[in-house]
Amino acid sequence: DTGVSQDPRHKITKRGQNVTFRCDPISEHNRLYWYRQTLGQGPEFLTYFQNEAQLEKSRLLSDRFSAERPKGSFSTLEIQRTEQGDSAMYLCASTTLGTDTQYFGPGTRLTVL
Amino acid sequence: TQLLEQSPQFLSIQEGENLTVYCNSSSVFSSLQWYRQEPGEGPVLLVTVVTGGEVKKLKRLTFQFGDARKDSSLHITAAQPGDTGLYLCAGVGGAGGTSYGKLTFGQGTILTVHP
């Protein structure tokens, strides 16, 4: 068990570019969450997967954002046509059914210039 | 819109002092959690409180859950520089106790403990 991993840890991009982040949850964790955290704030929920099914999306997840978990293991979060307001830390967490303990990855810090 | 209000937002104290952080919600969640987050890392769970009036202790940290399950506090005794970090409270499940275990976080309290 190596914990939740995220890649890349840092991403700097220019406005208008597309970016994709990857999250590898703890193996056999069937629940996966994405959160976004801006400086000085707590994380905000973006979306939730149970196995490969995306069961909930926040209104924060505009049509420029898309998330997938094709085989119920790793997940990707893509942001198209990035804007400066997308600059934030993107956190992934995983857990199993029957427990409320979420294990967070180290996050991907996105900077949009 | 954050449904959980934490106070204070910033706390700067000397080693050995005691402190309390408060978390208040306008809604009831299925449970409430406290996390600690260090710069460049994800939050790490400290405790989960479920029952109104519950008190949990973790070494020098004491967590209380209000009787109405809408407010909580974190008390640290004899703070140490290693306690420095961002402390977050989070409601589990949507407000009103709905689905999927998602977390609703407060804005956090940045604690700095000076040697």
Side-chain angles (χ1 to χ4, degrees), chain B residues 33-55:
Chain B
Q33 298 180 329
W34 285 91
Y35 288 80
R36 179 166 170 262
Q37 184 177 21
E38 299 197 31
E41 299 297 329
V44 176
L45 179 66
L46 295 174
V47 76
T48 300
V49 286
V50 180
T51 306
E54 186 174 4
V55 177

Side-chain angles (χ1 to χ4, degrees), chain B residues 40-104:
Chain B
E41 299 297 329
V44 176
L45 179 66
L46 295 174
V47 76
T48 300
V49 286
V50 180
T51 306
E54 186 174 4
V55 177
K56 283 191 173 180
K57 292 193 175 183
L58 185 66
K59 297 183 180 178
R60 294 178 293 102
L61 278 60
T62 302
F63 304 86
Q64 290 189 306
F65 201 17
D67 290 341
R69 298 174 62 235
K70 286 187 175 183
D71 58 283
S72 182
S73 64
L74 158 61
H75 183 80
I76 301 178
T77 303
Q80 299 175 359
D83 295 327
T84 293
L86 174 66
Y87 289 83
L88 296 157
C89 66
V92 180
T98 56
S99 59
Y100 306 134
K102 71 180 181 185
L103 300 175
T104 301

Side-chain angles (χ1 to χ4, degrees), chain A residues 58-78:
Chain A
S58 164
R59 59 179 171 77
L60 293 174
L61 216 63
S62 75
D63 57 5
R64 295 185 298 106
F65 288 70
S66 63
E68 294 182 343
R69 195 182 183 199
K71 297 181 180 179
S73 56
F74 74 91
S75 176
T76 58
L77 178 67
E78 181 184 14

Side-chain angles (χ1 to χ4, degrees), chain A residues 23 25 28-36 44-61 65-70 72-77 91-104, chain B residues 92-94 98-104:
Chain A
C23 170
E28 298 180 358
H29 276 192
N30 52 3
R31 292 179 138 183
L32 187 147
Y33 304 81
W34 284 98
Y35 295 87
R36 181 173 69 186
E44 293 179 294
F45 169 78
L46 291 179
T47 191
Y48 162 68
F49 289 87
Q50 185 168 307
N51 299 311
E52 67 277 7
Q54 187 176 21
L55 298 185
E56 188 170 355
K57 294 194 296 185
S58 164
R59 59 179 171 77
L60 293 174
L61 216 63
F65 288 70
S66 63
E68 294 182 343
R69 195 182 183 199
S73 56
F74 74 91
S75 176
T76 58
L77 178 67
L91 293 162
C92 174
S94 71
T95 188
T96 57
L97 285 170
T99 176
D100 290 332
T101 302
Q102 294 188 21
Y103 296 86
F104 282 82
Chain B
V92 180
T98 56
S99 59
Y100 306 134
K102 71 180 181 185
L103 300 175
T104 301

